[in-house]
Amino acid sequence: MNLFWIKRVVVMGHRGPLQLSDLCKLYNEESVHTLSSVFEHEWEKQQNYNERLDLEENSGIESLLVSRKTNTGYSLLYAIWVTFRPALVKAALLRLSTDIFSILVPLTLRWVILFCERQAVFDWAGYTHSLVVLGAVCCCAVSQHHFEKHSRIITANTQAVLAGFLYRKTLPFSHSSQQQSNTTQGTDALREVDNVTELVLTLACLWSNPLRVALCLGLLWGELGLGVLVGVALLLVLIPVNSAVEHKAKQLQRTQMIIKERSEQLIKEMLHKYQALKLLTWESWFHERVTESRARELEMLRILGYLTAFSMLNSICLPFLVGFSSIGVFVLVDDGNVLTSSQIFTSLCFFRLLRQPLLELPGLWCVLKQGHLSVCHLDKIFLTKDLGTTQFTTKEEPSDGFQQPCDRCKDKHSHSDEKTDRNLSQKGSGKAFRVYLRAFSWHWVSVSWLVYLSVCAVSLAQDGILSVWTGEAKEVQGLEGWRELRNSRLSAYALLGLLQAFLVCCAAYSLTCASLRASHALHSKLLSDVLQLPVHSQKTHMRRLLQAFTQDTQVIDEKLPKHLHSWLKSLLDILCSITLISFIMPLFSLAVFPLIILFLRIQSSFPSAHMEANPVASLEHVTQCVEAPLSGPKHREVCLTHCLQALNQNLLVKYNKIHTESRAALRLDGFAGIVLFVVSLILLENETDSGLVVLALICAFNIKEAVHQYPKAVSDINMDMLSMQNLCEFAKVEKEAAWSNSYRPPSDWPQHGEVKFTNFESESSSNFIPALRGINLTIRKGEKIGVVSQRKTDTDVLVSSLFRLVEARSGAVLIDDVNIARVGLRDLRSCLQIISQVPVLFSGPLRANLDPFVQHTDAQVWLALELCHLKERVRLLPAQLLHPVQRTSFAFSFGQRRLLCLARALLARVRIVLVEEALPCVDLETEDLLRQLIHTEFKDCTVLWLTHNPLTVMHTDRVLVLNKGQAVKFDASSTLLQQGSLFSQ
């Protein structure tokens, strides 16, 4: 029956009829509803107790002199302890058993080595030793499996209980002025929930880590004596060094985040102002700006990448340093100290077990400090009266008032589910991975493989030196021979350590350089592809483009190199270890093929990385409710229901992930145990040198970590390939015409500005913008034409046709007898200028907004500003023309921004100008000034006034009336008024 439930959990997941209560029964856990009730009851007791203390203090005379201490968060921790006491006690016992069994495994392997050395005290049968090893490995794996699963369930339940209680406290206020602050406070408070949850589990490490350190030191003291103190001292010395490096890395990451935010703002501006960018032909200017910003970002990533060399040295070379220092002191302090195989194996294993708890100490201190602050913050929030109740108005709101934001929450939630389902249904494409490797460069791929392989080989050679040393020590005769052997082997061991450090730095360098090269190439290709998209296509893919430039690029920049490092290192560790074991024990090669099939079968069932249920996502639904303009008690209840439903849904997915990943991890531990059992069995049944026994057991012992890293790295890379696929898909999207081609019009084209439409029909860019149909008309040079339509879409499609935002289906548009379809887009659009209805100013200096390519002198720019009556206004700016627009845009009114666009057109000195109708917010005086300047400064140019108000084009020579993409009338305004046509309407 239990297997049936497990199958439902793994196969059906949260999309089937399986409920949260079913999973609680499966895990023998209390339901979240029960835990929430216990927590709220205990919290009310704590709150009542605090209120009684306040009353007692306020009523006493001593309260006038001494005030009670501010709340330190102990009441919240006590409530959490009472709520999760059975689970926390169980987790503590599991942690204790895990620590004991993790030490028992090396001890059982030590007995195998002693048996191979034929020591009489361990005169047991080989099969018995192998079974003891297998039993110890299984006990350690099961204990660790249950501890990790139980800890993650406690984490999920604690987050759910605290977040649910937080939602009841911080639902939206009724006053709109408080909405933004309440949203921010809610987001921060949920981060505090995560910190408190992490603190709850970190408290167990305060006693577990010292216990593990004490046990390991005691066993190492029995093997190496005073030499163990040198290794431990080295670990302790490196703790502040690691902390300093991590602190520096965090500082660089903060700087990198600032640079990244600026780059993202630039990308968002490019995408949101994409049409203006196309009309102005400023793609190359923005391409250069984005490239410069990207270069600064990659440079910071390069520095952070070089810091990874230290982390790689810490993880790969630190065990060597500790072992070398301890073993070196042990054999040098006394000539009578001769290394044995059991000492070598025990020392290396226990130093590796000792490394993790010692290096965790600085991190524990940071978690405790942050957790204490979070506990105090949450305690203060929870002690506050119910904000959602006291701040809400009692006035009944219409049903639409409170249902609308919750519908938005539901839509957002369903969109998130659709995205998750889409990710779940896809796999990392091999084609996308090959694209990345090409961007990575096959040269760097080969170098990285070679360097990583060398690192693994040197690591095995270090263990081999020690193993051979123990065998040779038995055959040495005399003190001088022992000293010579000792010095030579220590020297070789030290040289291998230096070589390993050098190779690790080379590996970090090659991975950093190659990944940055790939990031640069992929981002440049994406930027070029996006800048060549048609406007209508860019609008269609806006959301995906933002995701590609932000989330997907971040994955390729930061996550993918780390996952490649884990994948490559774990794969080579497995291959090298299996190869060496097979070399030592040829009989083991018969079991290699079945073991590989078994491992691949387990690896294929490893859960994907995207199964993670992020509890922070639930806050997005609360944020949607907070941003709602209306509120009331009913609104609060509906929002609370949706929030708790989303929280339960996340918890359900998290339970599924915990169970599937725990089962996969247990299978991998079982595989590692089988390898260790087979190796020990073959060693015990054959006459093998004890040094080779140690080497084989070390390789088999190290496989466990590698087989855990490899499936996770593969899953992460498959997930990263979804981002690669998203980037690659934009290369397949249809692009607009070439910016330049073989046909180049004369350098002074157009000289006159005559525009002729001949049986012109345009393509339709969307269902909302009609296509021009059957347009036949001629606009003479220097003519001022008014274009009138009842809908703005008609004038928009005319602009799109002239600028070739949409292409011609038939017919042609001729400018000075040159078919614009033959001309490159850059040549065409640079000879046109448009003053849009919504004037666009880009971020950056005001000087660059007028002349980004620096084709004019400062005197010419000032003259254009003076003609537009903006010279004095610009002089008032702090840095005049060099001041960034994003800081001074508030200094320009909407009408002044239109005048700045006119100054831009004055500098361009084109022969054809299009002027869209101003918005009602533009004052009449500014618009009259603009009209006057166009008539005076562009008197020899062809001007098209685009509007839907006939009164604004009465000054033009002729008027073109458009209706549903057709030219209805084209004549003088006075004639059209007399005819009583559509123009008069």
Side-chain angles (χ1 to χ4, degrees), residues 558-576:
E558 302 174 14
K559 294 184 179 181
L560 186 53
K562 295 178 182 178
H563 298 156
L564 284 175
H565 164 72
S566 299
W567 172 74
L568 191 56
K569 183 178 181 302
S570 58
L571 176 62
L572 292 177
D573 282 342
I574 294 173
L575 294 178
C576 290

Side-chain angles (χ1 to χ4, degrees), residues 63-176:
S63 63
L64 298 175
L65 302 176
V66 181
S67 60
R68 188 163 63 91
K69 292 182 179 180
T70 58
N71 186 58
T72 55
Y74 294 122
S75 56
L76 177 59
L77 284 179
Y78 183 78
I80 295 174
W81 161 251
V82 173
T83 305
F84 298 96
R85 179 165 47 197
L88 291 174
V89 171
K90 182 179 177 181
L93 294 176
L94 289 172
R95 179 65 183 252
L96 178 62
S97 63
T98 301
D99 292 339
I100 294 174
F101 283 122
S102 64
I103 293 175
L104 183 60
V105 172
L107 290 179
T108 57
L109 293 173
R110 181 177 182 271
W111 296 337
V112 172
I113 297 172
L114 293 176
F115 179 81
C116 292
E117 291 178 344
R118 303 302 179 185
Q119 296 192 17
V121 68
F122 292 105
D123 191 16
W124 299 346
Y127 292 110
T128 304
H129 284 79
S130 299
L131 291 175
V132 170
V133 170
L134 181 61
V137 170
C138 291
C139 290
C140 181
V142 171
S143 177
Q144 186 173 3
H145 156 74
H146 281 288
F147 167 72
E148 291 179 355
K149 184 178 75 171
H150 195 64
S151 299
R152 294 175 67 183
I153 290 175
I154 293 175
T155 301
N157 289 338
T158 307
Q159 285 178 336
V161 170
L162 294 179
F165 192 65
L166 177 66
Y167 290 157
R168 293 184 176 89
K169 286 286 183 179
T170 58
L171 275 178
F173 298 164
S174 59
H175 304 291
S176 59

Side-chain angles (χ1 to χ4, degrees), residues 45 52 165 241 273 288 491 499 505 512 519 550 593 595 628 705 731 791 813 828 859 945 949 973:
K45 289 172 58 179
R52 287 197 304 270
F165 192 65
V241 177
K273 300 177 180 179
E288 182 180 354
S491 300
L499 179 60
C505 293
T512 300
S519 297
T550 54
F593 187 68
L595 287 174
E705 182 179 358
R791 296 177 300 179
V813 178
L828 169 64
W945 299 83
N949 184 3
S973 57

Side-chain angles (χ1 to χ4, degrees), residues 101 152 264 413 613 748 920:
F101 283 122
R152 294 175 67 183
E264 290 181 0
H413 183 57
D748 57 349

Side-chain angles (χ1 to χ4, degrees), residues 44 116 286 328 330 382 499 546 573 650 761 812 847 872 955:
E44 288 178 0
C116 292
F286 240 84
F330 174 74
F382 289 167
L499 179 60
L546 283 173
D573 282 342
N650 272 337
E761 291 189 7
R847 175 71 161 80
E872 297 301 322
H955 59 89

Side-chain angles (χ1 to χ4, degrees), residues 330-331 334-340 343 473-474 482:
F330 174 74
V331 297
D334 188 356
D335 291 336
N337 291 339
V338 179
L339 284 176
T340 63
Q343 285 178 315
K474 299 177 182 179
W482 159 245

